[in-house]
Amino acid sequence: MNSFRSGPDERGLFGNFGGQFVAETLMPLINDLATEYEKAKDDPAFQQELAYFQRDYVGRPSPLYFAERLTEHLGGAKIYLKREELNHTGAHKINNCIGQILLARRMGKKRIIAETGAGMHGVATATVAARFGLQCVIYMGTTDIDRQQANVFRMRLLGAEVIPVTAGTGTLKDAMNEALRDWVTNVESTFYLIGTVAGPHPYPAMVRDFQAVIGQETREQLLEKEGRLPDSLVACIGGGSNAMGLFHPFLDEPGVNIIGVEAAGHGIDTGKHAASLNGGVPGVLHGNRTFLLQDEDGQIIDAHSISAGLDYPGIGPEHAWLYDIGRVEYTSITDHEALQAFHVCCRLEGIIPALESSHALAEVLKRAPQLPSDHLLVVNLSGRGDKDMQTVMHHLNLEEKPA
Amino acid sequence: MSRLQPRFAELKQANRAALVTFLTAGDPNYDTSLAILRGLPAAGADVIELGMPFTDPMADGPAIQLANIRALQNGQTLAKTLQMVREFRQTDQATPLVLMGYYNPIHKYGVERFIAAAQEAGVDGLIVVDLPPEHNDELCEPAQAAGIDFIRLTTPTTDDQRLPKVLHGSSGFVYYVSVAGVTGAGSATLEHVEQAVARLRRHTDLPISIGFGIRTPEHAATVARLADGVVVGSALVDRIAKAESSEQTVESVLKLCQELAEGIGSARR
């Protein structure tokens, strides 16, 4: 049977994407992790514990909310918001963190490391590390530290050590390099809790599985409310974990139109963006083959996005494959369009969305008016915008100043 | 054909370990880097590893990260690194030269095109940090088919069960990374190195070179008693970082190379 949901293969490949492109020091550990994860996945006790923490600690299921005023305002498709921003710590990131920390504990690891961009994954990791009493070290680029200070403080409150990374442009890619260096150095004691559907196999598949609860719930909730599956799904993509979580359970439903939204920054033609699929080419970085922003010499180009969480020059390999075979449509939204959508959501729905999620909302603002009123559109509201107050204030000031 | 095998055979005959030097191509700039490269054989380097700069050297410590940045800022590219090898070969046909780096620049250049260019330029071997044996079909197999050695890194985490898989398809020599960590970090104990070499010898007849954290002639000498080759990288690269002029850079790097070679030369007497 032809399925879009059977990947990756035993080498960790989705088509020609993914794999295990890492230094030899890490290979044995990555293989261990893959074996342990396979065992845990099939262990009812593990799944039971995961379900318990998702319910009583994370607060799942997250509501599927009919955005009535947004729907009226746009005058087209019927819009539902999957409210991942209501999870503990304010984003979808915790779904994956709970899963991986249970695995880390099962593997007897005492020390957790993670990279973070916007800080949401760092906060979620620090949170679960505190909950399970494990040492926690978070790598974060200095540029991101400047624009996400509240999250840095949160991580420290939760007992994590936040290590500033000055290399490169001080964003997510550099934080990931530094986390990999730490891991290579402390390989026996340390569990690397990757925050997105990227990195060497088994991370892309494992993170996807932990995030797939988003799509599974959406499916049940919409069947209950509407008696049928959605017509469209929309989610933003940096590495792509919230999108993959929503999309994966629907990949084999031919009637469901799936749209991933990349960050176009100042615009793809300006070169200052984070749209790896729409503006990159295949390459190998951080353990996997995927689409990357790179120059003619294969050097990685720094990404740009107003939202720190999308500011990454690569994308999860499963997205690269879905793009390649055309199962998912990948579009892009500029900083400016995302900010506009941010305001619309605040004013019409009384929900302050994360700037990341605002990219998905901006795509909905474009699309929904062209669609009929019986078109069911689900957008993943992957995180809340509290962390973005500084950035938004900064841009409002710029806009209010006379030119 | 590769110059590695005859070079290690000669050294074995002379009861001497190889000094394997690492430098990043184009660090701090093309001309200085080429001048150092040309001076290395006379300064006692037996095998040369030349780093192909990359923006994201995940397995490297601060010294080599900075070397990558210096080289890239001064316009080094993979094409220029191959050109550097060609220019080196105009004056030296004997010293084995191995290119070391990360996969993406090669991937972008095109594997087939890269192998042809490397062969034509006079490259003897490749070390690609992020290509484990799980991905042998990417570059290892086509490179070996073209007569270019593919040198594997083995590490303290590579256990007996995995070792045959890693060594399968290795050629030229085996590079033992003596500490789990990034380049330039702390060094392994002598006891660890001794055990590791013994373990590797049970699995392979290839020459074994030891690297990571070897900085001084004395340290190089100790390792030279145990292994077939001693790799020094970050300590040489640090000399480039500290130098004040181009002439001083060349002089300072080659002086350390000489001292290391003397240390190794005296090791087994």
Side-chain angles (χ1 to χ4, degrees):
Chain A
M1 195 195 83
N2 269 337
S3 170
F4 295 109
R5 302 179 64 222
S6 55
D9 68 14
E10 68 285 353
R11 298 173 69 202
L13 293 170
F14 302 91
N16 197 27
F17 300 99
Q20 296 181 307
F21 295 91
V22 296
E24 175 58 28
T25 312
L26 295 178
M27 270 316 297
L29 276 290
I30 283 171
N31 286 335
D32 266 3
L33 177 65
T35 310
E36 281 301 315
Y37 174 59
E38 283 307 313
K39 275 193 228 158
K41 204 165 69 171
D42 298 332
D43 179 354
F46 180 84
Q47 291 299 340
Q48 216 169 10
E49 197 175 20
L50 180 60
Y52 164 77
F53 280 103
Q54 281 177 343
R55 187 185 67 234
D56 288 4
Y57 191 69
V58 176
R60 303 206 71 88
S62 69
L64 184 69
Y65 162 72
F66 170 43
E68 194 178 354
R69 293 198 69 217
L70 187 61
T71 300
E72 271 171 24
H73 173 75
L74 296 174
K78 189 170 184 183
I79 300 161
Y80 280 92
L81 305 180
K82 181 59 173 164
R83 302 285 306 274
E84 288 298 303
E85 100 285 9
L86 292 177
N87 293 338
H88 182 39
T89 70
H92 68 290
K93 292 292 186 188
I94 190 108
N95 301 330
N96 165 50
C97 288
I98 281 287
Q100 285 197 50
I101 201 109
L102 291 174
L103 191 61
R105 201 183 51 168
R106 198 182 153 100
M107 292 175 75
K109 302 290 182 183
K110 301 283 181 239
R111 180 172 178 272
I112 304 295
I113 59 169
E115 83 295 337
T116 196
M120 298 311 277
H121 175 57
V123 168
T125 303
T127 298
V128 296
R131 169 60 186 80
F132 290 93
L134 300 173
Q135 189 196 344
C136 182
V137 174
I138 305 289
Y139 289 93
M140 188 169 184
T142 45
T143 305
D144 289 338
I145 286 180
D146 286 342
R147 54 183 169 177
Q148 301 290 349
Q149 283 173 8
N151 271 345
V152 175
F153 186 61
R154 269 185 205 113
M155 288 183 263
R156 288 183 174 146
L157 278 179
L158 291 160
E161 183 187 355
V162 180
I163 300 184
V165 178
T166 52
T169 45
T171 59
L172 184 55
K173 152 182 103 91
D174 311 299
M176 198 151 179
N177 288 335
E178 214 51 41
L180 281 165
R181 290 182 187 120
D182 179 314
W183 200 23
V184 149
T185 309
N186 302 291
V187 74
E188 298 290 348
S189 68
T190 297
F191 188 99
Y192 182 15
L193 208 161
I194 294 185
T196 192
V197 286
H201 176 69
Y203 283 100
M206 177 171 70
V207 176
R208 173 201 69 201
D209 293 348
F210 290 138
Q211 291 293 1
V213 67
I214 301 171
Q216 287 150 10
E217 285 177 8
T218 299
R219 190 185 178 101
E220 284 165 30
Q221 289 165 323
L222 202 67
L223 280 173
E224 193 184 307
K225 287 173 200 289
E226 298 281 353
R228 66 182 183 91
L229 295 178
D231 296 301
S232 298
L233 301 172
V234 180
C236 67
I237 300 189
S241 72
N242 91 80
M244 194 53 70
L246 176 65
F247 298 169
H248 196 258
F250 294 98
L251 288 176
D252 285 338
E253 302 292 349
V256 182
N257 188 25
I258 305 180
I259 301 119
V261 184
E262 295 191 295
H266 294 325
I268 290 179
D269 45 2
T270 67
K272 296 200 70 146
H273 61 85
S276 319
L277 295 177
N278 287 294
V281 292
V284 172
L285 180 71
H286 293 155
N288 56 173
R289 181 176 3 237
T290 187
F291 279 73
L292 299 172
L293 303 183
Q294 54 181 316
D295 68 12
E296 280 306 301
D297 189 43
Q299 306 299 337
I300 306 304
I301 296 172
D302 290 311
H304 168 83
S305 169
I306 189 171
S307 91
L310 303 182
D311 214 344
Y312 180 69
I315 185 166
E318 195 167 8
H319 285 295
W321 175 66
L322 291 168
Y323 170 79
D324 200 41
I325 61 171
R327 171 62 187 97
V328 175
E329 178 188 350
Y330 293 89
T331 62
S332 65
I333 285 292
T334 64
D335 289 352
H336 181 68
E337 291 169 323
L339 272 171
Q340 282 180 321
F342 172 90
H343 288 297
V344 169
C345 187
C346 291
R347 297 287 171 88
L348 288 179
E349 291 295 346
I351 296 170
I352 301 177
L355 284 173
E356 289 78 5
S357 321
S358 300
H359 285 73
L361 289 165
E363 183 63 29
V364 172
L365 297 194
K366 281 186 182 175
R367 242 167 233 263
Q370 329 293 333
L371 297 165
S373 59
D374 62 350
H375 186 104
L376 301 178
L377 189 159
V378 177
V379 53
N380 199 1
L381 200 64
S382 55
R384 65 182 183 218
D386 307 43
K387 69 182 173 60
D388 295 317
M389 291 302 100
Q390 253 185 323
T391 307
V392 175
M393 266 188 277
H394 173 73
H395 279 83
L396 283 178
N397 285 338
L398 289 180
E399 279 171 23
E400 277 163 11
K401 275 184 197 145
Chain B
M1 274 294 143
S2 166
R3 297 165 184 84
L4 283 163
Q5 243 185 314
R7 175 54 53 98
F8 275 103
E10 273 163 41
L11 288 164
K12 192 171 185 175
Q13 204 77 48
N15 191 28
R16 194 173 160 277
L19 171 60
V20 183
T21 58
F22 173 91
L23 288 163
T24 300
D27 173 27
N29 55 55
Y30 188 93
D31 292 339
T32 311
S33 184
L34 180 61
I36 297 171
L37 190 60
R38 285 185 158 156
L40 283 172
D46 300 300
V47 176
I48 292 171
E49 285 179 12
L50 191 59
M52 300 172 280
F54 184 46
T55 39
D56 294 78
M58 282 91 70
D60 283 299
I64 295 176
Q65 283 177 49
L66 289 172
N68 278 279
I69 292 170
R70 284 191 297 268
L72 290 171
Q73 276 175 348
N74 285 313
Q76 191 69 17
T77 60
L78 186 51
K80 285 188 186 173
T81 300
L82 290 163
Q83 177 57 28
M84 195 174 273
V85 178
R86 260 177 237 122
E87 292 195 49
F88 171 72
R89 283 282 173 243
Q90 289 167 4
T91 55
D92 186 308
Q93 280 294 327
T95 310
L97 188 145
V98 173
L99 290 180
M100 178 167 184
Y102 296 82
Y103 187 34
N104 197 57
I106 297 170
H107 190 272
K108 186 72 173 61
Y109 194 91
V111 167
E112 228 174 285
R113 184 176 160 229
F114 171 76
I115 289 172
Q119 201 178 18
E120 179 266 323
V123 171
D124 299 289
L126 299 174
I127 304 176
V128 183
V129 178
D130 51 356
L131 276 179
E134 278 74 2
H135 290 291
N136 267 351
D137 55 336
E138 296 274 339
L139 179 63
C140 170
E141 287 161 14
Q144 288 179 333
I148 297 175
D149 282 320
F150 204 83
I151 294 123
R152 291 256 169 240
L153 303 175
T154 66
T155 73
T157 58
T158 315
D159 60 21
D160 281 330
Q161 204 192 336
R162 184 171 166 79
L163 205 47
K165 183 172 183 167
V166 175
L167 293 171
H168 177 79
S170 293
S171 56
F173 64 94
V174 174
Y175 186 151
Y176 181 68
V177 173
S178 59
V179 286
V182 293
T183 51
S187 53
T189 63
L190 210 57
E191 195 190 356
H192 172 89
V193 174
E194 207 165 357
Q195 284 169 1
V197 171
R199 187 164 74 95
L200 284 167
R201 294 246 193 257
R202 285 201 296 275
H203 288 271
T204 184
D205 295 329
L206 288 170
I208 298 164
S209 294
I210 309 279
F212 279 46
I214 300 167
R215 306 190 65 89
T216 63
E218 296 72 33
H219 193 181
T222 346
V223 176
R225 285 184 200 107
L226 304 170
D228 306 306
V230 181
V231 189
V232 181
S234 295
L236 291 164
V237 168
D238 277 341
R239 292 282 171 113
I240 297 179
K242 284 182 187 136
E244 276 157 15
S245 66
S246 180
E247 300 79 52
Q248 203 202 341
T249 307
V250 179
E251 197 182 310
S252 167
V253 173
L254 296 181
K255 184 161 178 285
L256 178 58
C257 183
Q258 257 161 12
E259 290 163 7
L260 290 162
E262 282 159 21
I264 289 171
S266 68
R268 296 189 196 163
R269 270 178 214 150

